[in-house]
Amino acid sequence: MKKVIVAFVILVSGLAKAQGKFEEGMGKAFSLWKEGKSKEASDLFERIAAAEKGSWLPNYYVAMVNTTSSFGMKDKEMVSAVLNKAQNALDVEMAKDPNNAELLVMQAMIYTGWVAFDPMTYGMKYSGKVIELYSKAQALAPENPRAVFGKAEYEIGGAKYFGTDTKPMCAEINRAIDLFAKFKPETPFSPKWGLDRALEAQKECAK
C-alpha cells in the first residue's frame, strides 16, 4: 500500500510540474505577444504545442498570432507565410476535434485574413465559407460570443459594401456583448477575447 501511495505522489508531482511548465510557457508566450513580438510568441506557442499534444490551446494561439499579424500586411509573400503557418497549426487541432466552436471561429478568421488582403481574389472563394463556419460554431455553442460577433462583424462588412441594411447585424452585436458578460472561459488560457472589438462595432452601429 505504501508503494502505491508513493507511486501516486510521484505521479501527481510529475503532473503538477508538467502543468506548471505549461502555464509558465503559456504566460511567457502571452507576454511576448503583448510586447508586440509576434514571431517570438508564435515560435514559443509552437514549441509548447509540440510538448503538450493533449491541449489544443497552443496551436490555437499559433493560428491566432499569425492570423492577426496578417491584417494590414501588403506583401503577398508575408501574408502567405503567416496565414499558411496559422492554417497548418489549426489543421492539427481540427483533425482531432472538428466540432470545437473556437477552432471553427479561428478558421473563419484565417479565411477573413485572405479576404482582407485581397477581396477581389479571395472574397468569392472564402466569404460563403466564413459565414458557414460561424453558423456551425453558433449551432455547436450558441452561447459563444465570438461566434455570434464574428458572423455579425463579417456580415456588416458585406452589407456596407453592397449598401444593404446593417440593423440585423447590429442587433447581433448587441447580443454578442450580452453573451460576453456571461461567458466563463474553461481555463485561464481559454479564448476570452473579442469584447473590445464588439464594443467598438457597437459604437459604429450607433452612428
Side-chain angles (χ1 to χ4, degrees):
M1 185 67 185
K2 187 177 179 182
K3 285 182 180 178
V4 173
I5 292 169
V6 170
F8 178 74
V9 169
I10 291 170
L11 174 66
V12 171
S13 298
L15 289 172
K17 188 176 181 182
Q19 183 68 12
K21 281 185 179 178
F22 174 77
E23 290 175 347
E24 184 182 344
M26 291 290 282
K28 178 72 185 298
F30 278 114
S31 293
L32 287 167
W33 193 15
K34 193 175 180 181
E35 290 167 16
K37 298 174 181 175
S38 297
K39 187 182 183 305
E40 292 88 340
S42 173
D43 290 347
L44 183 48
F45 280 127
E46 207 168 2
R47 290 197 295 275
I48 298 167
E52 300 284 344
K53 297 187 189 300
S55 174
W56 58 272
L57 290 168
N59 269 326
Y60 170 88
Y61 286 111
V62 172
M64 187 169 185
V65 169
N66 284 282
T67 300
T68 54
S69 295
S70 77
F71 293 107
M73 284 183 178
K74 304 297 181 187
D75 183 84
K76 187 172 183 179
E77 283 189 15
M78 290 175 67
V79 171
S80 295
V82 293
L83 288 180
N84 287 337
K85 193 176 188 67
Q87 189 66 65
N88 291 337
L90 191 68
D91 284 347
V92 172
E93 302 308 326
M94 286 288 282
K96 298 176 194 172
D97 185 5
N99 291 320
N100 180 326
E102 297 288 2
L103 297 180
L104 293 171
V105 167
M106 185 52 58
Q107 181 64 77
M109 285 181 63
I110 292 171
Y111 288 155
T112 301
W114 285 112
V115 176
F117 169 64
D118 187 347
M120 295 301 290
T121 302
Y122 298 106
M124 288 289 287
K125 184 177 181 180
Y126 289 132
S127 284
K129 291 181 179 181
V130 169
I131 298 302
E132 187 180 319
L133 284 159
Y134 281 129
S135 297
K136 185 178 178 183
Q138 284 189 38
L140 290 166
E143 303 299 306
N144 186 301
R146 278 163 295 285
V148 175
F149 171 65
K151 183 170 182 283
E153 183 184 43
Y154 195 85
E155 287 178 334
I156 279 180
K160 285 180 177 177
Y161 182 80
F162 291 109
T164 53
D165 189 12
T166 60
K167 282 181 185 174
M169 301 84 163
C170 287
E172 281 295 276
I173 286 171
N174 292 337
R175 185 165 78 88
I177 289 168
D178 289 340
L179 290 174
F180 273 114
K182 301 171 193 170
F183 186 79
K184 290 188 173 70
E186 289 180 12
T187 74
F189 300 114
S190 293
K192 48 184 173 285
W193 58 269
L195 177 58
D196 54 342
R197 279 174 51 197
L199 290 170
E200 285 299 314
Q202 187 182 53
K203 286 179 188 174
E204 286 297 312
C205 281
K207 288 180 180 178

